[in-house]
């Protein structure tokens, strides 16, 4: 679907006509309970650990190029976070291209995060790929419009600049087996709606990063989104934002979701960072969190 603009447009049309299921699999691989409600027409799932009273919450925004529905790998990660971090994970099923647009979805996610915090206490925000863009954009809206600074925003292979103009992208493209610029431009243009590409609700890398809470970022070096992840790391640190950067050398897009040893190692870090009260969430950890880590394929 990313190979050409024509493939991307055809993919949008197919899914608009026959949407895929967003239902969680019957078996999630972790001991959790799941319930669902509706908020302004959106299904909103809540995933809870079965063997512990949950502490705080995580709002998880799934990826899929703004056009694909949440997938089994997302649900398995959500269940693992809920069970192992002993927290409630809230998963909104947001409207996709061609019906959903950045302005409406990002603002609604920001409102949802505030509501979740009121119900479940301390709330963190996480997302992968397109969901990483929504998550970081929503964190900016929370800061700017509601004076809310999140204790952590965790991003897995986030889309950050929907202009696709980073000069390093053509260097990475031959090594990326998953994403490509032609289709990405089509999906991005549909997603931005009436907003300009440089609006932070579309391209968070274009926004002011100062004043955000701590960031944790995962990115594989064989991902066309990796060059922008480097820019996010550098600009966030320059703006005084505590930023932890995990780069998977030789790894692909959203590698933490994959059933591999490197994916498993990344998921362990993700669970720790999204656990309320873990040692990685305090100011004493700022120096360690500022250091890049590199995960190599084994």
């Amino acid at each position: 679907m990313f190979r050409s603009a024509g493939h991307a447009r055809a993919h949008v049309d197919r899914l608009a006509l026959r949407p895929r299921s967003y239902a969680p699999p019957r078996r999630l691989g972790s001991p959790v309970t799941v319930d669902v409600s509706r908020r302004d027409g959106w299904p909103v799932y809540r995933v809870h650990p079965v063997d512990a009273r949950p502490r705080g919450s995580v709002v998880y925004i799934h990826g899929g190029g703004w056009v694909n529905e949440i997938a089994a790998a997302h649900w398995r990660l959500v269940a693992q976070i809920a069970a192992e971090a002993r927290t409630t994970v809230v998963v909104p099923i947001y409207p996709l291209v061609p019906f959903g647009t950045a302005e409406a979805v990002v603002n609604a996610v920001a409102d949802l995060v505030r509501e979740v915090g009121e119900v479940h206490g301390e709330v963190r925000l996480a997302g992968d790929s397109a969901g990483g863009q929504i998550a970081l954009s929503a964190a900016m809206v929370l800061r700017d419009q509601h004076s809310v600074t999140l204790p952590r925003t965790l991003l897995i292979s986030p889309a950050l600049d929907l202009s696709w103009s980073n000069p390093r992208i053509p260097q990475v493209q031959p090594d990326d087996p998953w994403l490509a610029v032609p289709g990405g431009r089509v999906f991005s243009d549909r997603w931005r709606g009436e907003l300009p590409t440089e609006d932070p609700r579309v391209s968070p890398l274009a926004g002011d990063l100062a004043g955000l809470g701590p960031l944790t970022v995962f990115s594989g070096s064989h991902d066309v989104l990796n060059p922008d992840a480097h820019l996010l790391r550098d600009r966030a640190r320059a703006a005084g934002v505590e930023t932890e950067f995990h780069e998977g050398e030789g790894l692909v897009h959203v590698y933490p979701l994959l059933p591999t040893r490197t994916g498993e190692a990344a998921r362990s870090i993700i669970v720790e960072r999204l656990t309320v009260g873990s040692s990685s969430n305090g100011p004493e950890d700022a120096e360690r969190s500022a250091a890049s880590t590199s995960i190599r394929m084994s």
Side-chain angles (χ1 to χ4, degrees):
M1 68 178 185
F2 287 95
R3 186 169 53 189
S4 71
H7 281 92
R9 286 191 289 268
H11 189 72
V12 171
D13 292 342
R14 280 195 302 270
L15 292 183
L17 182 63
R18 295 184 177 87
R20 292 175 181 168
S21 172
Y22 53 75
R26 293 185 181 277
R27 296 184 180 181
L28 288 170
S30 298
V32 294
T33 60
V34 183
D35 59 67
V36 65
S37 61
R38 285 203 171 256
R39 181 189 181 281
D40 296 333
W42 297 14
V44 177
Y45 285 85
R46 285 174 171 78
V47 184
H48 315 273
V50 299
D51 58 354
R53 182 177 179 180
R55 297 175 296 174
S57 57
V58 175
V59 175
Y60 191 92
I61 314 299
H62 74 84
W66 307 281
V67 66
N68 290 319
E69 198 49 88
I70 187 170
H74 297 120
W75 282 118
R76 287 192 291 269
L77 175 58
V78 163
Q80 182 177 353
I81 293 168
E84 297 181 12
R86 299 188 173 188
T87 192
T88 295
V89 185
V90 178
V91 183
I93 307 300
Y94 58 92
L96 301 168
V97 166
F99 308 110
T101 58
E103 181 174 15
V105 171
V106 168
N107 289 338
V109 166
D111 289 341
L112 176 64
V113 171
R114 294 173 64 215
E115 293 172 10
V116 169
E118 292 171 359
V119 174
H120 296 285
E122 187 172 302
V123 58
R124 287 161 168 74
L125 187 53
D128 70 277
S129 192
Q133 176 266 308
I134 296 169
L136 185 55
S137 293
M140 292 178 166
V141 170
L142 287 163
R143 176 199 61 192
D144 296 341
Q145 298 184 16
H146 305 289
S147 300
V148 172
T149 301
L150 297 173
R152 186 159 304 272
T153 300
L154 188 143
L155 309 171
I156 302 170
S157 304
L160 298 165
D161 180 357
L162 272 58
S163 72
W164 301 82
S165 60
N166 192 308
R168 286 191 54 228
I169 289 177
Q171 300 170 26
V172 178
Q173 182 70 87
D175 294 322
D176 189 333
W178 196 326
L179 304 183
V181 173
R185 289 187 184 277
V186 171
F187 301 138
S188 300
D189 191 57
R190 298 283 187 96
W191 175 247
R192 69 178 179 84
E194 300 299 318
L195 295 177
T197 302
E198 62 272 16
D199 190 295
R201 290 167 293 180
V202 175
S203 298
L205 197 59
D208 181 10
L209 299 172
L212 290 174
L215 301 177
T216 296
V217 182
F218 291 82
S219 182
S221 66
H222 287 183
D223 179 354
V224 293
L225 303 181
N226 178 256
D228 286 337
H230 279 255
L231 290 181
L232 173 64
R233 177 199 61 190
D234 296 344
R235 293 179 187 179
R237 290 178 182 170
V241 177
E242 179 187 328
T243 304
E244 177 185 20
F245 187 72
H246 298 270
E247 183 166 50
E249 184 64 35
L251 301 182
V252 298
H253 186 61
V254 297
Y255 73 87
L257 275 72
L258 302 181
T260 62
R261 282 181 288 175
T262 48
E264 182 180 3
R267 290 191 293 277
S268 295
I269 298 171
I270 289 168
V271 167
E272 181 183 359
R273 298 303 184 264
L274 296 177
T275 300
V276 173
S278 72
S279 61
S280 61
N281 292 320
E284 70 279 1
D285 196 58
E287 183 176 348
R288 181 167 65 85
S289 293
S292 293
T293 62
S294 179
I295 300 175
R296 295 186 178 274
M297 188 179 298
S298 58

